[in-house]
């Protein structure tokens, strides 16, 4: 029996709850990759309903399909070229006037669309929606859901299955005075074979859509583009304003009529929103906003260590016991000494010393996901944006900077949404200074040994230092690099109402991010610790991890450079060197060289003081991007900026570490 498959595209505005609906449909069973040819993340998930396997593709959040940004182009190209069976448009039920604009564009595109009025719990008892009337007016099914509470999801699945073989109803907005120009272009287009609806294409050309104009020119249809430009100019001369604005106004007029006719306000909806407003008076207050943000971050880090540390102790004990059991067993069967060393010191010691920090990373992402889903992280961006703008940083940079707390690679990818090239490059160059979770194992280890009573505060200070260095660097770059000079673009963003997220949704977001850490442990970090073990064992005549090994000789070359920063040891030099592969490898290297997690703390206590330990964490924060980050910088810009980022970060990391240690020694005397 042939498997029945339905391909669904999930579209929607940012903050419409699209990700929550995606998780509710797929249960979090998602595959994450990149869209072909670009570095924007693509998420696919599946679910089974009746006899169908439904494949859901989560399109980038967008307000329109004009294709001025990469996100808009991806969404539109997927619908036009991949031709999904069904497009579900997730709309914010509390703001239909804005949310329906994207749905209208999808209908004009000719998509087999379903309108999902999400956040239905917020309008319950406040707004009555005439579903049947709205369906007739829009020519498409309408479903009310609440992604947070999980209501309406089965109804949405049912409509998806029904829509599979449904004939798409015609959709047409009367554009009044513009209809004559549309008709002329439709007549012209009728003589050409193009894979688009003729009316839709005519409207997009009159709007001045650059992608369609470029495509038609490349096909040799220059006369169609010229006709569209001529009609647009004629309209502007006749009516005194541009044709694109007139088209947009007509669409909003149509949407306003739909909302007025098929929705009825039966109680004030502002109650929920007014609660958000009252909270915002405190959390985005110009005096209290930044201290509150710092407090939330401190609480997050403190709980990360208190809760994560509890589970880490058990993982530590497991790997310590496993290493001992395997060593005794291999010794009892007379296994070769190098094999015993490889398994105990290389695999168990290296990997175990990294995986032990998985609970800390998971707990951190749980709290960050909660703050994001509840609506606070958007406020944090708004609060810090004011401070950034006053010192010359582009406001749009803060979103990638926040993402950098997770991983610098997707954070740098997200700069694609920044329209100004100079602002985009500037944001890319400063992003590696944001402390990603790959550095967290280093912080957890060293603060646990040297700053046990103030772990959260110490970690917060390192994150703050990264932000300060990023801001200071941006100021320097904008001042001295000619190509980065220019006016500052402001941050324009929507503040969603506060919502209480579901535990399931928060868990899915946190686990998806933490899973990347485990993938690294199974690939890059594993290969790294194997390489380190080999270099620490060769020549086999030397003692494992000694100065006579290859890795010892390599470390002794670099170690003198680190002396002024307070850690002139070849093992530390090697750890930092291999940390270029991935920052987690720093701990993996130390675990491999010092005999695993059980010996690591004792050894580090003999090598470091609290002063030099903090200096080492500064170096780990700043000294160099990992290979993946360097690669994505090169891909998003060029080799010039990638190499500039490498050398600049090495200089900054070494200088600040040395200054901190040397000044600290003076005050410590």
């Amino acid at each position: 029996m042939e498997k029945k498959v339905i391909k669904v595209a999930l579209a929607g505005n940012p903050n419409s709850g699209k990700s929550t609906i995606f998780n509710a449909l797929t249960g979090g069973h998602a595959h994450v990759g990149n869209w072909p040819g670009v570095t924007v993340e693509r998420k696919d998930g599946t679910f089974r309903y009746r006899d169908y396997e439904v494949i859901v593709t989560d399109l980038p959040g967008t307000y329109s399909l004009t294709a001025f940004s990469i996100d808009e182009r991806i969404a539109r190209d997927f619908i036009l070229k991949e031709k999904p069976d069904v497009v579900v448009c997730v709309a914010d039920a509390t703001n239909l006037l804005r949310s329906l604009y994207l749905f209208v564009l999808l209908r004009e595109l000719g998509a087999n669309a379903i309108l999902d009025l999400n956040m239905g719990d917020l309008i319950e008892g406040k707004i009555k929606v005439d579903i049947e009337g709205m369906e007739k007016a829009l020519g498409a099914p309408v479903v009310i859901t609440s992604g947070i509470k999980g209501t309406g999801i089965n109804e949405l699945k049912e409509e998806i299955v029904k829509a599979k073989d449904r004939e798409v109803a015609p959709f047409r907005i009367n554009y009044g005075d513009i209809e004559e120009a549309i008709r002329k272009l439709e007549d012209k287009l009728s003589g050409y074979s193009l894979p688009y609806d003729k009316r839709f294409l005519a409207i997009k050309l009159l709007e001045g859509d650059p992608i369609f104009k470029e495509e038609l020119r490349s096909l040799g249809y220059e006369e169609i583009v010229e006709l569209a430009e001529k009609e647009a100019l004629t309209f502007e001369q006749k009516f005194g304003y541009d044709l694109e604005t007139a088209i947009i106004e007509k669409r909003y007029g149509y949407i306003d009529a739909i909302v007025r006719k098929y929705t009825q306000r039966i109680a004030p909806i502002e109650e929920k929103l007014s609660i958000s407003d009252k909270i915002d008076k405190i959390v985005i207050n110009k005096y209290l906003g930044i201290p509150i943000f710092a407090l939330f971050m401190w609480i997050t880090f403190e709980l990360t260590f208190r809760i994560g540390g509890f589970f880490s102790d058990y993982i530590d004990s497991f790997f310590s016991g496993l290493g001992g059991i395997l060593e005794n067993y291999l010794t009892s069967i007379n296994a070769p000494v190098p094999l015993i060393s490889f398994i105990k010191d290389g695999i168990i010691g290296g990997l175990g010393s990294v995986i032990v920090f998985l609970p800390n990373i998971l707990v951190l992402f749980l709290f960050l996901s909660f703050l994001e889903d509840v609506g606070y992280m958007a406020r944090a961006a708004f609060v810090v944006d004011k401070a950034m703008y006053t010192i010359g940083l582009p406001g749009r940079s803060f979103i990638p900077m926040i993402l950098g707390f997770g991983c610098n690679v997707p954070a740098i990818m997200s700069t694609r949404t920044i329209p100004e090239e100079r602002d985009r490059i500037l944001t890319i160059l400063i992003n590696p200074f944001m402390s990603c979770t790959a550095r967290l194992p280093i912080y957890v280890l060293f603060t646990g040994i040297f700053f046990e009573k103030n772990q959260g505060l110490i970690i917060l200070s390192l994150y703050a230092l990264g932000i300060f260095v990023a801001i200071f660097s941006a100021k320097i770059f904008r001042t001295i690099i000619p190509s980065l000079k220019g006016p500052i673009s402001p941050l324009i963003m929507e503040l969603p109402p506060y919502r209480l997220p579901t535990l399931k949704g928060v868990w899915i977001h946190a686990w998806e991010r933490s899973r990347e850490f485990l993938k690294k442990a199974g690939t890059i970090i594993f290969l790294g610790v194997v390489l380190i073990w080999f270099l620490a064992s060769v020549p086999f005549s030397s003692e494992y991890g000694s100065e006579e090994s290859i890795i010892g000789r390599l470390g002794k070359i670099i170690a003198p450079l680190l002396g002024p920063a307070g850690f002139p040891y070849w093992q530390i030099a090697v750890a930092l060197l291999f940390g270029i592969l991935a920052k987690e490898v720093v701990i993996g290297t130390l675990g491999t060289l010092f005999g695993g997690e059980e010996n690591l703390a004792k050894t580090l206590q003999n090598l470091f003081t609290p002063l030099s330990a903090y200096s080492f964490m500064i170096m780990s924060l700043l000294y160099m991007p990992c290979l993946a980050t360097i690669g994505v910088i090169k891909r998003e810009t060029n080799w010039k900026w990638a190499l500039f980022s490498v050398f600049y970060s090495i200089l900054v990391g070494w200088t600040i570490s040395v200054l901190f240690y040397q000044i600290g020694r003076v005050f410590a005397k």
Side-chain angles (χ1 to χ4, degrees), residues 378-400:
R379 271 81 181 173
F382 178 77
V383 165
V384 181
D385 167 62
K386 293 180 180 179
M388 292 173 65
Y389 192 81
T390 57
I391 58 177
L393 263 173
R396 291 175 179 267
S397 298
F398 189 71
I399 301 301

Side-chain angles (χ1 to χ4, degrees), residues 33 36 216 231 244 247 300 304 346 363 410 503 508 553 568 610 620 647:
L216 288 177
E231 289 298 324
E244 182 184 7
I247 291 173
T300 298
T304 294
V363 172
L503 289 176
I508 288 173
R553 295 171 187 174
S620 301
F647 289 114

Side-chain angles (χ1 to χ4, degrees), residues 308-330:
F310 173 79
F311 293 100
S312 293
D313 291 340
Y314 287 101
I315 297 177
D316 181 16
S317 300
F318 169 77
F319 277 102
S320 298
L322 181 63
I325 291 170
L326 288 174
E327 182 181 23
N328 292 335
Y329 172 74
L330 292 170

Side-chain angles (χ1 to χ4, degrees), residues 226-237:
E226 289 178 354
L227 176 60
E229 291 174 344
K230 178 184 175 183
E231 289 298 324
L233 181 61
T234 301
F235 182 90
E236 185 173 345
Q237 291 172 343

Side-chain angles (χ1 to χ4, degrees), residues 202-217:
I203 293 170
K204 299 313 290 181
L205 289 172
L206 290 172
E207 284 184 291
D209 189 291
I211 305 300
F212 281 123
K213 289 169 72 173
E214 180 185 336
E215 183 176 343
L216 288 177
R217 285 192 174 110

Side-chain angles (χ1 to χ4, degrees), residues 214-320:
E214 180 185 336
E215 183 176 343
L216 288 177
R217 285 192 174 110
S218 68
L219 293 172
Y221 302 154
E222 179 71 36
E223 66 275 13
I224 299 177
V225 178
E226 289 178 354
L227 176 60
E229 291 174 344
K230 178 184 175 183
E231 289 298 324
L233 181 61
T234 301
F235 182 90
E236 185 173 345
Q237 291 172 343
K238 183 176 180 180
F239 294 99
Y241 58 100
D242 67 281
L243 188 53
E244 182 184 7
T245 301
I247 291 173
I248 292 172
E249 286 179 351
K250 287 289 184 181
R251 285 198 192 108
Y252 273 115
Y254 173 82
I255 293 167
D256 182 60
I258 292 286
V259 173
R260 287 175 181 273
K261 187 172 183 179
Y262 299 110
T263 65
Q264 180 184 357
R265 195 176 299 275
I266 55 180
I269 195 174
E270 285 76 16
E271 180 185 348
K272 284 267 185 188
L273 302 180
S274 66
I275 294 174
S276 293
D277 294 338
K278 290 174 183 176
I279 297 173
D280 282 344
K281 285 183 179 180
I282 300 173
V283 299
I284 64 175
N285 180 279
K286 63 179 180 181
Y287 301 111
L288 298 176
I290 291 179
I292 288 173
F293 175 61
L295 175 63
F296 281 152
M297 290 298 100
W298 174 78
I299 292 172
T300 298
F301 296 133
E302 194 67 28
L303 292 174
T304 294
F305 298 119
R306 300 299 173 211
I307 300 174
F310 173 79
F311 293 100
S312 293
D313 291 340
Y314 287 101
I315 297 177
D316 181 16
S317 300
F318 169 77
F319 277 102
S320 298

